Amino acid sequence: MAETAPYGTWTSPISAADVAAGGGGAQWLDVVGGTVWWAEARPAEGGRLALVRAGQDGVEEMLPAPWNARNRVHEYGGRPWVVIGGTLFFTHWDDQRVHARDLDGGEVVPVTPEPPVPQGVRYGDLRPGPDGAVWAVRETSTGPARTDIRRDLVALSGGAVVPLAASHHFLTAPQLSPDGRHAAWLGWEHPDMPWDSTELCVAEVRPDGGLGPHRVLAGGPGVSVCQLEWEDPGTLLALLDPDGWWNLHRITLDGVVTNIAPMARELGGPLWKIGSNWFVPLGGGRHAVLDSGRLAVLDETTGDLTVVADHLTSWAATLARHGDGVAGIAAGPRHESAVVHVDLDTAAVTELTEPVHPAPPAEYLPVPQERTFPGPDGVPIPAYVYPPANPGFTGPEGERPPYLVHVHGGPTGRVSGDLDLDFAYFTSRGIGVVAVNYGGSVGYGRAYRERLREQWGAVDVRDCAAVAEALAAEGTADPARLAIRGGSAGGYTSAASMTSVTTYRAATIKYPILDLAGWTGDGGETHDFESRYVLGLVGPLPRTRDRYVERSPLRHADRLAGPVLLLQGLDDQICPPEQADRFVRALAGSGIPHAYLTFEGEQHGFRRAETMIAALEAELSFYGQVFGFATPGVPVLELRS
């Protein structure tokens, strides 16, 4: 029989260490010689990205410690490895150089020179070029500012780094046509982000391996191209959105662009990391695609789109053809992220990875409820509601649970409703979570994505508040115990909410943006990739400068509706600690309870197990103190005012 106890105090078998152990997972999957390879995050090893493959006797490590297959291109990183012939090429985090390892067991050797400034030259999106060369994007620091960056396309061959082209300020690596005569890549310019406007470029490959002048085949103002693949020597397949949805198009070398199956479905996504794959050709007019994150098969002869393995609701943008199906990284409401193979003829799913730790009992895991809520401007707001779930406890009669409104990052991103141990840590203790796909989220077409154009700090705040207030009004959540939480752009919305609405009692603000004008190239407090992002999200400068002031939480710390917890990595180059430092200084002596935890060695997002544990336990203690329930078993967070 379930014990009656206040929400928030329930005893749970899911510890912060369990959450941290599951905080790694696979990335950057591909198939080499019929074998599935991937990079694997290791929180217990300081967040190192190991490189492994699925062998006959289990997972085989191909890149042992201390090698870390990760790079800083765009600060979010790009495809960090490629196998050409019998050699593995990869980027190493510590020095950002490309290294090589002979697969017959040779030593790791550097391929690119040591830069004059540590990590001052970075390489990403590694691809096979002609005659055994590696093609890549090279990112070079040219000065002291975070935005002093130059990019070009290069070939790594015979110990030399040979420049190929520099068509745009931002680039993906070139991909070689099947006959070796052409190369194709994507490029874009400030102030656009890749989901705003990109261009698909093609150039001839010269006999010496260099590239001739490029031509633009597709894309342009108001059109985003997020992925390309060669179909044959004269034809490309690409995901682009001239009609408002990322659909699959066929593009000839003379520039004829055809949507092969027009539909109001999102088959692509935001190119945060160069080298992402949302589709893979299967032959015979069939293509494996990701339909708003779900695996599906597109048949261009009929126009049909058929979802496969529908219990896996969230696939990473790293699909690869494998045998009679595809391999990828997938998760679902009851399924932790794993490397899987799907046979597209039988729909059979085979897991290629073993769980890194025992899964919590299913009865402690919340099953998300996919819902839509009425928005303040009449546009429905999609969200996933994770109610409290613990078979051993029930709340007192008449008491409603506290709820956390989770705000995803980006803001050009989304939540997918899959199993999240971070959420389960709270729901198994009697604290509900609702994850909101506010205006600006992807997966719903360009029009929904552009609801946030010049409206960041307004639409996102209103949409999240509308969902929270609707849950309270229907009796699901306690209106007096609502909190908001998020990291990066989600940290901004959390802070902006606490300084502009009175819906919430508290907020957890992780590695946030707090001063909009400072978070620009001119302000100097962010990196080059996003240094003009806010011009579209807030408005052009200097004309809308007043808007930047009004929507910056740092300028309105005196308006906070309640206590805040700030969590910040000290090596973060995307949302550096300067802004959080200033915000906390503004709170000193304000009478507003707050805490500020910083973490050495952490960049944007937390990768180390010890950081994840400390941050999650601090968050639980924080809610307990604000909402008035005990949190035994975790250190008491010291709040200042």
Side-chain angles (χ1 to χ4, degrees), residues 6 8-12 425 429 617 620-621 624 629-636:
T9 66
W10 300 353
T11 302
S12 170
Y425 180 78
R429 288 167 169 78
E617 291 183 340
L620 179 61
S621 176
F629 56 77
T631 56
V634 301
V636 176

Side-chain angles (χ1 to χ4, degrees), residues 49 54 61 132 240 312 335 410-411 576:
L49 271 188
E61 188 156 327
L240 54 155
L312 299 173
H335 192 286

Side-chain angles (χ1 to χ4, degrees), residues 188-255:
W188 65 97
E189 301 285 353
H190 278 317
D192 288 321
M193 299 301 288
W195 43 87
D196 296 324
S197 303
T198 45
E199 293 183 330
L200 192 161
C201 304
V202 67
E204 291 186 0
V205 179
R206 299 194 304 253
D208 64 359
L211 301 182
H214 77 276
R215 296 179 290 121
V216 175
L217 293 185
V223 178
S224 165
V225 190
C226 60
Q227 182 189 343
L228 67 89
E229 300 290 336
W230 286 98
E231 184 176 40
D232 57 47
T235 312
L236 289 147
L237 294 170
L239 288 167
L240 54 155
D241 68 346
D243 302 314
W245 299 85
W246 276 305
N247 281 188
L248 191 57
H249 292 69
R250 179 170 285 110
I251 304 166
T252 64
L253 287 180
D254 55 4

Side-chain angles (χ1 to χ4, degrees), residues 422 426 485-488 491 507-514 564-570 572 575-577 580-581 583-584 595-599 602-606 611-620 622-623 637:
D422 186 81
F426 294 110
R485 70 190 297 265
S488 189
T508 296
I509 302 166
K510 300 187 287 186
Y511 33 92
I513 301 138
L514 297 168
V564 292
L565 166 62
L566 287 97
L567 305 168
Q568 178 70 53
L570 293 179
D572 194 335
C575 294
D581 291 345
F583 191 75
V584 171
Y596 181 35
L597 301 184
T598 60
F599 301 97
E602 290 285 8
Q603 295 92 43
H604 196 63
F606 300 149
T611 301
M612 298 177 190
I613 293 169
L616 201 54
E617 291 183 340
E619 192 175 355
L620 179 61
F622 173 64
Y623 298 137
L637 176 70

Side-chain angles (χ1 to χ4, degrees), residues 35 113 173 366 537:
T35 301
L537 292 171

